[in-house]
Amino acid sequence: MFVDAPAQVAAKLLDWYDVHARALPWRAPPGTARTEPYRVWLSEIMLQQTTVAAVRGYFAKFTERWPTVDTLANADDADVMAAWAGLGYYARARNLIACARAVARDHGGSFPDSEAGLRTLPGIGDYSAAAIAAIAFGRRAVVIDANVERVTSRLFAFADPLPAARPRLRALVDTITPNDRAGDFAQAMMDLGSGICTPRNPQCLICPLRDPCKARVAGNPETYPVKAAKKPKPQRKGTAFWIEHEGDVLLVRRPDKGMLGGMRALPTGPWSDEDPALTDAPVDADWREAGSVTHVFTHFALDLRVVVTKLSARPDISGEWWPIPSVDTAGLPTLFARAAARAIAGSK
DNA sequence: CAGCCGTGGTA
DNA sequence: TTACCAAGGCT
């Protein structure tokens, strides 16, 4: 058998998938009816740069509360943003709302069934359009995510550094993508990348592609994919202001663009390499230190100093006064949830 | 094209 | 503990 023939790769992988496919809430088992496009779409957006474990609870919550794309399209923005709180990359939530409304308004409540049609919707890029077209609509599409890049670069011992070499890697993925079951093939590649062809210590002994894999033969699968070096993360500092009045705390809504865009938050000063100053506070007050929280984002690390004050008169500041005992229901992103916990602990 | 954009798990 | 990294998209 010519195990390195492209068709053989797909056949081996699909045979493995028929037995070992992960059972996931948004996935139909191999050989059964396809999952509804709404659920495929919702899961694909949530899974962008996000682990299966993190998505499970959010997917259950969203599908229970908004079971169809129309119900989501009619939801209040603030409710959706609050429900997304903690999952990260909040532009996804803003695009989720915009996409649901575009589907409801421009497509009669049904998702486009082609890759090109899906690609026009907000929040759906090359990967998601291909994945939804293949998984939800049975289209033949070349689906490329980080798992596919890793598995394919190892399979072909493709050593050109990414992301510059993406077009050539895509051509290789194209050669092994089957005409039938492209959706199962994509999901099989992801399962393989998640459980066997892992970034470190890949389990080549039990891999269904161990025979055709050139990197395994060479003995260096963990060196793929080759990537350009990363830049160091700058350290920034800032201050969060916990302002109490009669058992309420002041929350603000952050601008739609930028960090934690559109999310509820504590008022803050600027985040920079300068030492934070109390003069950035939205009100003049007697501030007390409540400690600090450190948080690591994708491209910088933040040391957020938390200061608290209790005002006897309600200041004239725009924002929401939220009952402190239920501040955990405000939908704060993790940074501010931790800052709030620090403020409450530090003000006792 | 490269920078921006969260969070939590893993070794 | 530090560093890497995950079902990427937008500008």
Side-chain angles (χ1 to χ4, degrees), chain A residues 32-53:
Chain A
T32 65
R34 288 194 290 262
T35 301
E36 298 166 25
Y38 170 68
R39 293 167 64 87
V40 174
W41 163 72
L42 180 61
S43 69
E44 289 299 341
I45 302 304
M46 287 183 166
L47 286 162
Q48 288 168 4
Q49 295 288 287
T50 308
T51 59
V52 167

PDB file of all heavy atoms in Angstrom, chain A residues 32-53:
ATOM      1  N   THR A  32     -24.413  10.149  11.388  1.00  0.00           N
ATOM      2  CA  THR A  32     -25.750  10.599  11.770  1.00  0.00           C
ATOM      3  C   THR A  32     -26.063  11.931  11.099  1.00  0.00           C
ATOM      4  O   THR A  32     -25.229  12.492  10.391  1.00  0.00           O
ATOM      5  CB  THR A  32     -25.861  10.759  13.299  1.00  0.00           C
ATOM      6  OG1 THR A  32     -24.978  11.806  13.721  1.00  0.00           O
ATOM      7  CG2 THR A  32     -25.458   9.474  13.998  1.00  0.00           C
ATOM      8  N   ALA A  33     -27.276  12.428  11.333  1.00  0.00           N
ATOM      9  CA  ALA A  33     -27.694  13.690  10.707  1.00  0.00           C
ATOM     10  C   ALA A  33     -26.800  14.834  11.155  1.00  0.00           C
ATOM     11  O   ALA A  33     -26.312  14.854  12.276  1.00  0.00           O
ATOM     12  CB  ALA A  33     -29.145  13.991  11.058  1.00  0.00           C
ATOM     13  N   ARG A  34     -26.606  15.772  10.256  1.00  0.00           N
ATOM     14  CA  ARG A  34     -25.732  16.901  10.569  1.00  0.00           C
ATOM     15  C   ARG A  34     -26.330  17.806  11.642  1.00  0.00           C
ATOM     16  O   ARG A  34     -27.544  17.919  11.764  1.00  0.00           O
ATOM     17  CB  ARG A  34     -25.461  17.716   9.300  1.00  0.00           C
ATOM     18  CG  ARG A  34     -24.537  17.030   8.320  1.00  0.00           C
ATOM     19  CD  ARG A  34     -24.035  18.013   7.266  1.00  0.00           C
ATOM     20  NE  ARG A  34     -25.093  18.430   6.346  1.00  0.00           N
ATOM     21  CZ  ARG A  34     -25.291  17.906   5.146  1.00  0.00           C
ATOM     22  NH1 ARG A  34     -24.511  16.943   4.719  1.00  0.00           N
ATOM     23  NH2 ARG A  34     -26.251  18.359   4.381  1.00  0.00           N
ATOM     24  N   THR A  35     -25.460  18.466  12.395  1.00  0.00           N
ATOM     25  CA  THR A  35     -25.887  19.445  13.397  1.00  0.00           C
ATOM     26  C   THR A  35     -26.466  20.674  12.705  1.00  0.00           C
ATOM     27  O   THR A  35     -26.017  21.057  11.624  1.00  0.00           O
ATOM     28  CB  THR A  35     -24.672  19.852  14.254  1.00  0.00           C
ATOM     29  OG1 THR A  35     -24.140  18.694  14.881  1.00  0.00           O
ATOM     30  CG2 THR A  35     -25.071  20.868  15.324  1.00  0.00           C
ATOM     31  N   GLU A  36     -27.454  21.305  13.336  1.00  0.00           N
ATOM     32  CA  GLU A  36     -28.048  22.530  12.794  1.00  0.00           C
ATOM     33  C   GLU A  36     -26.982  23.600  12.596  1.00  0.00           C
ATOM     34  O   GLU A  36     -26.095  23.776  13.435  1.00  0.00           O
ATOM     35  CB  GLU A  36     -29.083  23.088  13.777  1.00  0.00           C
ATOM     36  CG  GLU A  36     -30.249  22.184  14.059  1.00  0.00           C
ATOM     37  CD  GLU A  36     -31.035  22.667  15.282  1.00  0.00           C
ATOM     38  OE1 GLU A  36     -30.961  23.882  15.562  1.00  0.00           O
ATOM     39  OE2 GLU A  36     -31.685  21.839  15.926  1.00  0.00           O
ATOM     40  N   PRO A  37     -27.089  24.342  11.469  1.00  0.00           N
ATOM     41  CA  PRO A  37     -26.093  25.374  11.193  1.00  0.00           C
ATOM     42  C   PRO A  37     -25.925  26.372  12.329  1.00  0.00           C
ATOM     43  O   PRO A  37     -24.797  26.806  12.597  1.00  0.00           O
ATOM     44  CB  PRO A  37     -26.650  26.060   9.937  1.00  0.00           C
ATOM     45  CG  PRO A  37     -27.430  24.982   9.260  1.00  0.00           C
ATOM     46  CD  PRO A  37     -28.022  24.148  10.353  1.00  0.00           C
ATOM     47  N   TYR A  38     -27.007  26.737  13.019  1.00  0.00           N
ATOM     48  CA  TYR A  38     -26.894  27.693  14.129  1.00  0.00           C
ATOM     49  C   TYR A  38     -25.954  27.182  15.203  1.00  0.00           C
ATOM     50  O   TYR A  38     -25.104  27.914  15.716  1.00  0.00           O
ATOM     51  CB  TYR A  38     -28.286  27.969  14.719  1.00  0.00           C
ATOM     52  CG  TYR A  38     -28.260  28.762  16.012  1.00  0.00           C
ATOM     53  CD1 TYR A  38     -27.852  30.100  16.017  1.00  0.00           C
ATOM     54  CD2 TYR A  38     -28.646  28.179  17.216  1.00  0.00           C
ATOM     55  CE1 TYR A  38     -27.828  30.830  17.196  1.00  0.00           C
ATOM     56  CE2 TYR A  38     -28.630  28.897  18.396  1.00  0.00           C
ATOM     57  CZ  TYR A  38     -28.218  30.228  18.390  1.00  0.00           C
ATOM     58  OH  TYR A  38     -28.200  30.939  19.555  1.00  0.00           O
ATOM     59  N   ARG A  39     -26.090  25.931  15.547  1.00  0.00           N
ATOM     60  CA  ARG A  39     -25.247  25.365  16.605  1.00  0.00           C
ATOM     61  C   ARG A  39     -23.805  25.188  16.124  1.00  0.00           C
ATOM     62  O   ARG A  39     -22.861  25.353  16.901  1.00  0.00           O
ATOM     63  CB  ARG A  39     -25.833  24.037  17.085  1.00  0.00           C
ATOM     64  CG  ARG A  39     -27.174  24.200  17.806  1.00  0.00           C
ATOM     65  CD  ARG A  39     -27.884  22.854  17.997  1.00  0.00           C
ATOM     66  NE  ARG A  39     -27.163  21.941  18.856  1.00  0.00           N
ATOM     67  CZ  ARG A  39     -27.277  21.920  20.188  1.00  0.00           C
ATOM     68  NH1 ARG A  39     -28.101  22.769  20.794  1.00  0.00           N
ATOM     69  NH2 ARG A  39     -26.594  21.069  20.906  1.00  0.00           N
ATOM     70  N   VAL A  40     -23.629  24.837  14.854  1.00  0.00           N
ATOM     71  CA  VAL A  40     -22.272  24.731  14.308  1.00  0.00           C
ATOM     72  C   VAL A  40     -21.601  26.105  14.339  1.00  0.00           C
ATOM     73  O   VAL A  40     -20.464  26.261  14.794  1.00  0.00           O
ATOM     74  CB  VAL A  40     -22.295  24.170  12.876  1.00  0.00           C
ATOM     75  CG1 VAL A  40     -20.895  24.200  12.265  1.00  0.00           C
ATOM     76  CG2 VAL A  40     -22.849  22.751  12.864  1.00  0.00           C
ATOM     77  N   TRP A  41     -22.328  27.096  13.844  1.00  0.00           N
ATOM     78  CA  TRP A  41     -21.799  28.464  13.829  1.00  0.00           C
ATOM     79  C   TRP A  41     -21.441  28.937  15.235  1.00  0.00           C
ATOM     80  O   TRP A  41     -20.333  29.415  15.472  1.00  0.00           O
ATOM     81  CB  TRP A  41     -22.819  29.405  13.194  1.00  0.00           C
ATOM     82  CG  TRP A  41     -22.597  30.864  13.452  1.00  0.00           C
ATOM     83  CD1 TRP A  41     -21.620  31.655  12.918  1.00  0.00           C
ATOM     84  CD2 TRP A  41     -23.367  31.706  14.326  1.00  0.00           C
ATOM     85  NE1 TRP A  41     -21.748  32.948  13.393  1.00  0.00           N
ATOM     86  CE2 TRP A  41     -22.808  33.001  14.265  1.00  0.00           C
ATOM     87  CE3 TRP A  41     -24.479  31.492  15.139  1.00  0.00           C
ATOM     88  CZ2 TRP A  41     -23.318  34.078  14.992  1.00  0.00           C
ATOM     89  CZ3 TRP A  41     -24.993  32.561  15.859  1.00  0.00           C
ATOM     90  CH2 TRP A  41     -24.410  33.830  15.782  1.00  0.00           C
ATOM     91  N   LEU A  42     -22.391  28.797  16.171  1.00  0.00           N
ATOM     92  CA  LEU A  42     -22.154  29.274  17.535  1.00  0.00           C
ATOM     93  C   LEU A  42     -20.924  28.591  18.141  1.00  0.00           C
ATOM     94  O   LEU A  42     -20.073  29.240  18.757  1.00  0.00           O
ATOM     95  CB  LEU A  42     -23.389  29.009  18.396  1.00  0.00           C
ATOM     96  CG  LEU A  42     -23.318  29.456  19.850  1.00  0.00           C
ATOM     97  CD1 LEU A  42     -23.118  30.962  19.956  1.00  0.00           C
ATOM     98  CD2 LEU A  42     -24.576  29.020  20.607  1.00  0.00           C
ATOM     99  N   SER A  43     -20.807  27.301  17.948  1.00  0.00           N
ATOM    100  CA  SER A  43     -19.660  26.587  18.517  1.00  0.00           C
ATOM    101  C   SER A  43     -18.364  27.028  17.856  1.00  0.00           C
ATOM    102  O   SER A  43     -17.348  27.217  18.532  1.00  0.00           O
ATOM    103  CB  SER A  43     -19.844  25.069  18.365  1.00  0.00           C
ATOM    104  OG  SER A  43     -19.750  24.672  17.015  1.00  0.00           O
ATOM    105  N   GLU A  44     -18.389  27.236  16.553  1.00  0.00           N
ATOM    106  CA  GLU A  44     -17.151  27.637  15.869  1.00  0.00           C
ATOM    107  C   GLU A  44     -16.684  29.011  16.326  1.00  0.00           C
ATOM    108  O   GLU A  44     -15.482  29.237  16.496  1.00  0.00           O
ATOM    109  CB  GLU A  44     -17.344  27.624  14.352  1.00  0.00           C
ATOM    110  CG  GLU A  44     -17.477  26.231  13.746  1.00  0.00           C
ATOM    111  CD  GLU A  44     -16.242  25.374  13.979  1.00  0.00           C
ATOM    112  OE1 GLU A  44     -15.162  25.924  14.269  1.00  0.00           O
ATOM    113  OE2 GLU A  44     -16.355  24.144  13.876  1.00  0.00           O
ATOM    114  N   ILE A  45     -17.598  29.930  16.543  1.00  0.00           N
ATOM    115  CA  ILE A  45     -17.200  31.256  17.025  1.00  0.00           C
ATOM    116  C   ILE A  45     -16.625  31.133  18.430  1.00  0.00           C
ATOM    117  O   ILE A  45     -15.575  31.703  18.746  1.00  0.00           O
ATOM    118  CB  ILE A  45     -18.403  32.219  17.006  1.00  0.00           C
ATOM    119  CG1 ILE A  45     -18.993  32.320  15.599  1.00  0.00           C
ATOM    120  CG2 ILE A  45     -17.985  33.593  17.524  1.00  0.00           C
ATOM    121  CD1 ILE A  45     -18.026  32.737  14.525  1.00  0.00           C
ATOM    122  N   MET A  46     -17.302  30.383  19.296  1.00  0.00           N
ATOM    123  CA  MET A  46     -16.812  30.241  20.670  1.00  0.00           C
ATOM    124  C   MET A  46     -15.452  29.551  20.718  1.00  0.00           C
ATOM    125  O   MET A  46     -14.636  29.819  21.600  1.00  0.00           O
ATOM    126  CB  MET A  46     -17.827  29.455  21.494  1.00  0.00           C
ATOM    127  CG  MET A  46     -19.083  30.223  21.833  1.00  0.00           C
ATOM    128  SD  MET A  46     -20.181  29.248  22.882  1.00  0.00           S
ATOM    129  CE  MET A  46     -21.319  30.538  23.432  1.00  0.00           C
ATOM    130  N   LEU A  47     -15.219  28.642  19.773  1.00  0.00           N
ATOM    131  CA  LEU A  47     -13.999  27.845  19.807  1.00  0.00           C
ATOM    132  C   LEU A  47     -12.794  28.558  19.194  1.00  0.00           C
ATOM    133  O   LEU A  47     -11.679  28.037  19.245  1.00  0.00           O
ATOM    134  CB  LEU A  47     -14.233  26.513  19.084  1.00  0.00           C
ATOM    135  CG  LEU A  47     -15.091  25.503  19.860  1.00  0.00           C
ATOM    136  CD1 LEU A  47     -15.638  24.429  18.934  1.00  0.00           C
ATOM    137  CD2 LEU A  47     -14.291  24.869  20.985  1.00  0.00           C
ATOM    138  N   GLN A  48     -13.013  29.753  18.647  1.00  0.00           N
ATOM    139  CA  GLN A  48     -11.878  30.486  18.084  1.00  0.00           C
ATOM    140  C   GLN A  48     -10.872  30.793  19.194  1.00  0.00           C
ATOM    141  O   GLN A  48     -11.162  31.538  20.122  1.00  0.00           O
ATOM    142  CB  GLN A  48     -12.360  31.783  17.424  1.00  0.00           C
ATOM    143  CG  GLN A  48     -13.119  31.559  16.128  1.00  0.00           C
ATOM    144  CD  GLN A  48     -13.835  32.809  15.647  1.00  0.00           C
ATOM    145  OE1 GLN A  48     -13.720  33.872  16.241  1.00  0.00           O
ATOM    146  NE2 GLN A  48     -14.584  32.688  14.561  1.00  0.00           N
ATOM    147  N   GLN A  49      -9.698  30.229  19.087  1.00  0.00           N
ATOM    148  CA  GLN A  49      -8.614  30.464  20.054  1.00  0.00           C
ATOM    149  C   GLN A  49      -9.025  30.102  21.476  1.00  0.00           C
ATOM    150  O   GLN A  49      -8.527  30.687  22.440  1.00  0.00           O
ATOM    151  CB  GLN A  49      -8.158  31.924  20.002  1.00  0.00           C
ATOM    152  CG  GLN A  49      -7.533  32.300  18.684  1.00  0.00           C
ATOM    153  CD  GLN A  49      -6.177  31.684  18.497  1.00  0.00           C
ATOM    154  OE1 GLN A  49      -5.215  32.089  19.109  1.00  0.00           O
ATOM    155  NE2 GLN A  49      -6.100  30.672  17.641  1.00  0.00           N
ATOM    156  N   THR A  50      -9.970  29.187  21.612  1.00  0.00           N
ATOM    157  CA  THR A  50     -10.518  28.877  22.931  1.00  0.00           C
ATOM    158  C   THR A  50     -10.688  27.369  23.055  1.00  0.00           C
ATOM    159  O   THR A  50     -11.092  26.705  22.107  1.00  0.00           O
ATOM    160  CB  THR A  50     -11.870  29.585  23.120  1.00  0.00           C
ATOM    161  OG1 THR A  50     -11.713  30.970  22.831  1.00  0.00           O
ATOM    162  CG2 THR A  50     -12.375  29.430  24.534  1.00  0.00           C
ATOM    163  N   THR A  51     -10.382  26.839  24.235  1.00  0.00           N
ATOM    164  CA  THR A  51     -10.391  25.394  24.411  1.00  0.00           C
ATOM    165  C   THR A  51     -11.808  24.837  24.522  1.00  0.00           C
ATOM    166  O   THR A  51     -12.741  25.534  24.924  1.00  0.00           O
ATOM    167  CB  THR A  51      -9.622  25.005  25.677  1.00  0.00           C
ATOM    168  OG1 THR A  51     -10.237  25.642  26.802  1.00  0.00           O
ATOM    169  CG2 THR A  51      -8.169  25.432  25.600  1.00  0.00           C
ATOM    170  N   VAL A  52     -11.944  23.555  24.180  1.00  0.00           N
ATOM    171  CA  VAL A  52     -13.233  22.865  24.293  1.00  0.00           C
ATOM    172  C   VAL A  52     -13.752  22.943  25.723  1.00  0.00           C
ATOM    173  O   VAL A  52     -14.942  23.201  25.961  1.00  0.00           O
ATOM    174  CB  VAL A  52     -13.087  21.404  23.846  1.00  0.00           C
ATOM    175  CG1 VAL A  52     -14.308  20.585  24.262  1.00  0.00           C
ATOM    176  CG2 VAL A  52     -12.894  21.330  22.333  1.00  0.00           C
ATOM    177  N   ALA A  53     -12.870  22.765  26.690  1.00  0.00           N
ATOM    178  CA  ALA A  53     -13.297  22.767  28.094  1.00  0.00           C
ATOM    179  C   ALA A  53     -13.904  24.107  28.475  1.00  0.00           C
ATOM    180  O   ALA A  53     -14.890  24.163  29.219  1.00  0.00           O
ATOM    181  CB  ALA A  53     -12.116  22.434  29.003  1.00  0.00           C
TER     182      ALA A  53
END
